[in-house]
C-alpha cells in the first residue's frame, strides 16, 4: 500500500531509465538556487536564537585524549550515532583527524612541535554558502535562517550528492542498519537515547548544532562538555563571547579558499590562555 | 430449447460455484471485526478529559497529516511550540508526544494498521515505548 523511499527510488529509477522525465529533472536541478531552500521559520519560545550560529574550537583546551573523547561521546550518545568498526562504514557527527588532513596546504617544512601528532576536532562547518544544500535534489538538507545547515531525515533519499559536494567530509552515509549488531553481538549504538530517533540504512546524517537542544535553551552537547574548548555563539552579534575570541586571538578556518564560508573557527596555538 | 447433457452441466456448475466461494465460507464470521484500538494507558487514564490532539473522528482520518505537519514544523521550521491538551502540555513529537499517551503502540497504532495493511516506516528511526526499556 504505502511505499517507502527505496521502493519509490526503484520505480523512479526505472522510469528515468526509460527516458521519461530525465531532462525535466536536470532542468529542475539547474534552476534551484540556494534561496529556495532557505525556509522561513517561526519565532521560538525560550530557545536560544541567533542571526548566524558559529563556533570556535580552541585546541589549547584539548590536552589529552579524554578531553576529546568526552566531547565526542557527549554528541554521539545523545544522538544515537552508531559505532562501526569498519572505517568504510563509519558514521560520525564530530570526529578527529591530523593537522595535515584538517588544514591541507597549511603544513610546512618545520612545524610547531607536536602539531602533526595533535588530533584536531572537526564537525560540520555550517557554511554560509553550503555546497551540500545546493546539490540536494529534495531539499532534505537546507539552511535555516540562523545559519544552521539542517538535515530533514524524512526527505533524504540517500543519493549522497551532498557527501560528494561537502569538502569537509562532514557527512556520513548509513551503509548498514544502525540498529543492528556487530559479529560479537554488540549493538552499533552503544547507549540508546530513547528521546531521539535513530537513522536507518540508506540515509545521510551529520551534526545539526543540536537544534533540538537549542530549542530548549541548551548549548550544543559538545560545547557543554568541552570545558570552554568549544565556544558556541552568534557570529553576527559583536558582543558575543565568540566574537570577542575572534577579535583577540588568531583563528583559522578549514579550506577557506573554497569559498563556502565555514562558521567554525580554530584557535591553534597552545601556550597563551584566553 | 434443449440443453444437451443438462444434468452434467448443472452438476458441474454447482461444483464450480461451490469451489470459487470457498474463501467466503472459510472466512465467514471471523477476522472481519474492525479493530478496537485500546485507550487504557496510564497517561490517558490520568487525563481528566479523555481528549486527543483533535476530536476522535478527525484523528481517525487525519492523524497521518497531523504527524506530517508536526515533523515539518519541528524539523524544517524549528517550531517546537508545545501543544496543550486538557490543560497539560505535550511535545509535538511522535515518540515523545503521541506515544507518551498512546504508549501501547501494539494495541493501538498497530491494531488499525495491521487491519488496514498499512506499514508506516517511521519505526525504522523513531523508538516505540517497548524498545525504550532495552
Amino acid at each position: 500500500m504505502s511505499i517507502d523511499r527505496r521502493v519509490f527510488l526503484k520505480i523512479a529509477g526505472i522510469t528515468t531509465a526509460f527516458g521519461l522525465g530525465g531532462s525535466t529533472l536536470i532542468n529542475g536541478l539547474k534552476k534551484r538556487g540556494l534561496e529556495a531552500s532557505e525556509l522561513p521559520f517561526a519565532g521560538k519560545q525560550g530557545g536560544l536564537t541567533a542571526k548566524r550560529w558559529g563556533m570556535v574550537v580552541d585546541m589549547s583546551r584539548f590536552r589529552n585524549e579524554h578531553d576529546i573523547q568526552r566531547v565526542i561521546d557527549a554528541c554521539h550518545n545523545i544522538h544515537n550515532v552508531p559505532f562501526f568498526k569498519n572505517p568504510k562504514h563509519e558514521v560520525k557527527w564530530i570526529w578527529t583527524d591530523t593537522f595535515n588532513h584538517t588544514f591541507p596546504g597549511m603544513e610546512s617544512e618545520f612545524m610547531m612541535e607536536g602539531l602533526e601528532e595533535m588530533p584536531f576536532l572537526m564537525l560540520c562547518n555550517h557554511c554560509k554558502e553550503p555546497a551540500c544544500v545546493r546539490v540536494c535534489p529534495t531539499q532534505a538538507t537546507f539552511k535555516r535562517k540562523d545559519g544552521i545547515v539542517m538535515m530533514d531525515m524524512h526527505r533524504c533519499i540517500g543519493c549522497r550528492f551532498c557527501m560528494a559536494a561537502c569538502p569537509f567530509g562532514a557527512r556520513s552515509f548509513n551503509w548498514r542498519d544502525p540498529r543492528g549488531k556487530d559479529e560479537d553481538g554488540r549493538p552499533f549504538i552503544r547507549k540508546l537515547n530513547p528521546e531521539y530517533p535513530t537513522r536507518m540504512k540508506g540515509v545521510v546524517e551529520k551534526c545539526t548544532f543540536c537544534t533540538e537542544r537549542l530549542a530548549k535553551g541548551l548549548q550544543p552537547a559538545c560545547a557543554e562538555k568541552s570545558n570552554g574548548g568549544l565556544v558556541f555563539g552568534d557570529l553576527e552579534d559583536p558582543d558575543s563571547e565568540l566574537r570577542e575570541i575572534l577579535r583577540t586571538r588568531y583563528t583559522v578556518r578549514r579550506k577557506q579558499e573554497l569559498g563556502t564560508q565555514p562558521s567554525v573557527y580554530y584557535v591553534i596555538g597552545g601556550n597563551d590562555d584566553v | 430449447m434443449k440443453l444437451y447433457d443438462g444434468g452434467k452441466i448443472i452438476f458441474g456448475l454447482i461444483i464450480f460455484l461451490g469451489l470459487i466461494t470457498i474463501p467466503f465460507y472459510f472466512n465467514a464470521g471471523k477476522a472481519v471485526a474492525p479493530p478496537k484500538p485500546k485507550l487504557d494507558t496510564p497517561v490517558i487514564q490520568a487525563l481528566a478529559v479523555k481528549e486527543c490532539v483533535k476530536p476522535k473522528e478527525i484523528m481517525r482520518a487525519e492523524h497521518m497529516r497531523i504527524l506530517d505537519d508536526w515533523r515539518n514544523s519541528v524539523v524544517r521550521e524549528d517550531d517546537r511550540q508545545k501543544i496543550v491538551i486538557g490543560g497539560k502540555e505535550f511535545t509535538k513529537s511522535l515518540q515523545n508526544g503521541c506515544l507518551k499517551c498512546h504508549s501501547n503502540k501494539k494495541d493501538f497504532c498497530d491494531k488499525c494498521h495491521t487491519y488496514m495493511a498499512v506499514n508506516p516506516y517511521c519505526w525504522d528511526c523513531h523508538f516505540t515505548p517497548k524498545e525504550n526499556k532495552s
Side-chain angles (χ1 to χ4, degrees), chain A residues 5 39 41-42 44-45 80 139 142 144 152 154-155 179 193-200 215, chain B residues 71-72 75-81 95-96 100 116-119 121 123-127 131-132:
Chain A
R5 73 186 86 219
L39 295 159
F41 64 88
K44 304 181 220 179
Q45 311 75 31
N80 295 319
Q139 294 182 28
F142 57 97
R144 309 202 317 175
D152 183 346
H154 309 102
R155 288 208 191 183
R179 291 193 179 182
N193 171 11
E195 302 273 301
Y196 198 83
T198 60
R199 268 67 60 201
M200 64 194 272
Chain B
R71 71 183 190 189
N72 281 333
V75 177
R76 303 192 75 84
E77 284 139 44
D78 192 32
D79 172 8
R80 293 180 192 246
Q81 189 159 25
Q95 63 198 71
N96 305 321
K100 277 270 137 67
M116 294 297 292
V118 273
N119 193 9
Y121 71 107
W123 318 112
D124 287 350
C125 296
H126 291 271
F127 284 115
E131 288 170 67
N132 289 356

Side-chain angles (χ1 to χ4, degrees), chain B residues 5-128:
Chain B
D5 285 334
K8 281 181 201 159
I9 288 171
I10 286 165
F11 181 68
L13 275 176
I14 287 170
I15 291 186
F16 173 71
L17 279 176
L19 279 175
I20 67 161
T21 49
I22 273 184
F24 295 97
Y25 303 128
F26 203 70
N27 271 339
K30 63 172 181 183
V32 282
K36 289 199 184 61
K38 283 202 185 127
L39 290 166
D40 55 348
T41 66
V43 178
I44 290 182
Q45 268 166 2
L47 290 174
V49 255
K50 309 271 178 279
E51 277 178 351
C52 196
V53 183
K54 291 263 164 70
K56 189 177 183 168
E57 290 67 37
I58 299 184
M59 284 317 289
R60 246 179 224 174
E62 303 277 328
H63 61 277
M64 16 6 221
R65 231 156 279 157
I66 294 172
L67 280 167
D68 238 23
D69 267 10
W70 281 13
R71 71 183 190 189
N72 281 333
S73 79
V74 168
V75 177
R76 303 192 75 84
E77 284 139 44
D78 192 32
D79 172 8
R80 293 180 192 246
Q81 189 159 25
K82 299 268 200 268
I83 50 155
V84 180
I85 302 173
K88 271 197 187 164
E89 281 195 344
F90 288 89
T91 319
K92 271 198 288 193
S93 163
L94 177 53
Q95 63 198 71
N96 305 321
C98 310
L99 293 187
K100 277 270 137 67
C101 285
H102 300 293
S103 51
N104 55 342
K105 172 178 168 280
K106 280 213 171 69
D107 280 331
F108 188 77
C109 318
D110 293 357
K111 265 263 167 72
C112 278
H113 294 164
T114 312
Y115 178 73
M116 294 297 292
V118 273
N119 193 9
Y121 71 107
C122 321
W123 318 112
D124 287 350
C125 296
H126 291 271
F127 284 115
T128 58

